[in-house]
Amino acid sequence: MKILVLGRGKTGVLVAEVARESGHEVRSLASQENQDGSGLTDELLHPIDVAIDFTTPHAVIPNIIRCAEAGIPMVVGTTGWHQHMDRVRELIRERNAALLYGSNFGIGMNLFFKAMQAIAPALKHGYRASIVERHHLDKKDKPSGTAVTIQRILESASGAKVEIASVREGDTVGMHLVMLDSPHDTILMTHDAKSRLGFAEGAVRAAEWLKGRAGFYEFPEIVDQI
């Protein structure tokens, strides 16, 4: 495939490397070259099979709009834009476009999400849940999109409010700790990413899956298919 990687940050660079190693032709576009989606010209997008976005919460919405208008399927790993989700879903439907969003493309974390679904009923039996997420100093959004996904899973299954505490320090790739506490015992579940390679590999596999499809998808829904 011909893949366009939007964003040349730490993860974007790794996504491009993994895509090339997987045999794909890759073009990368830095945020400075693409202010408000202005770099996504018809000429640039015409040969592209799938775009993969790892930019910023500010940049991602113009990129989504431009790719949807051009009919380019898009994998989005950028987080921090959840407030626009309904608007984006409607745009994808109206344009008969394709978008696959993942707050985390790591296979392990998506299995962790399934574990959260399994344990969420504890909140109806006297347990209180809290989340701690720790990331590197340069991370743009707080709380992390992954923590928000965990929060949504727990809250939707129980109706209980789940608080998130965010820590930014050093070069931490990403750690998520979920604590469920009751008067009788405490349950601790942790996912600690060792590198961004798992994110990159998952994003490229998601792009391979998305080609030829239409609709709005979230990565946990399709992770078993890749």
Side-chain angles (χ1 to χ4, degrees):
M1 295 194 304
K2 294 181 179 179
I3 295 177
L4 173 64
V5 177
L6 299 172
R8 287 187 187 149
K10 294 175 181 177
T11 305
V13 168
L14 197 53
V15 167
E17 291 177 2
V18 170
R20 289 190 182 97
E21 290 171 0
S22 300
H24 301 298
E25 184 178 330
V26 179
R27 170 77 186 270
S28 294
L29 201 62
S31 296
Q32 308 89 277
E33 305 171 89
N34 185 36
Q35 296 293 325
D36 295 322
S38 60
L40 300 177
T41 62
D42 290 339
E43 181 180 3
L44 183 143
L45 291 176
H46 178 71
I48 300 300
D49 293 307
V50 182
I52 302 177
D53 188 294
F54 278 91
T55 56
T56 66
H58 172 74
V60 66
I61 297 300
N63 291 344
I64 290 172
I65 293 171
R66 185 68 191 97
C67 285
E69 290 175 343
I72 304 300
M74 191 173 191
V75 172
V76 177
T78 304
T79 57
W81 57 277
H82 191 263
Q83 69 274 24
H84 302 296
M85 192 74 76
D86 290 343
R87 173 189 167 200
V88 168
R89 285 181 184 271
E90 183 63 18
L91 172 66
I92 298 304
R93 186 192 65 78
E94 289 177 352
R95 294 283 181 170
N96 194 33
L99 188 143
L100 196 164
Y101 167 67
S103 61
N104 190 306
F105 282 96
I107 302 300
M109 178 51 80
N110 280 271
L111 295 175
F112 193 83
F113 291 154
K114 292 180 184 294
M116 291 299 100
Q117 292 171 343
I119 205 167
L123 275 69
K124 295 181 179 179
H125 296 278
Y127 288 81
R128 296 185 61 184
S130 60
I131 301 166
V132 178
E133 59 95 354
R134 187 172 72 234
H135 285 83
H136 55 90
L137 287 169
D138 294 330
K139 185 166 177 60
K140 301 294 190 296
D141 56 322
K142 184 191 294 188
S144 70
T146 300
V148 171
T149 298
I150 295 170
Q151 181 189 53
R152 285 166 47 203
I153 291 170
L154 295 174
E155 290 184 347
S156 64
S158 66
K161 180 66 177 175
V162 178
E163 299 295 332
I164 301 173
S166 299
V167 179
R168 297 289 175 267
E169 60 182 11
D171 295 323
T172 306
V173 175
M175 187 282 296
H176 293 83
L177 168 68
V178 179
M179 180 173 71
L180 290 89
D181 191 46
S182 81
H184 310 299
D185 58 10
T186 300
I187 301 170
L188 296 174
M189 301 184 70
T190 305
H191 181 276
D192 195 359
K194 296 179 179 179
S195 78
R196 294 175 179 82
L197 183 59
F199 308 153
E201 290 178 347
V204 172
R205 291 170 69 180
E208 293 167 345
W209 181 91
L210 188 61
K211 183 184 177 184
R213 287 180 162 89
F216 185 102
Y217 306 92
E218 294 195 47
F219 192 57
E221 301 169 353
I222 65 94
V223 66
D224 293 335
Q225 301 177 40
I226 65 171

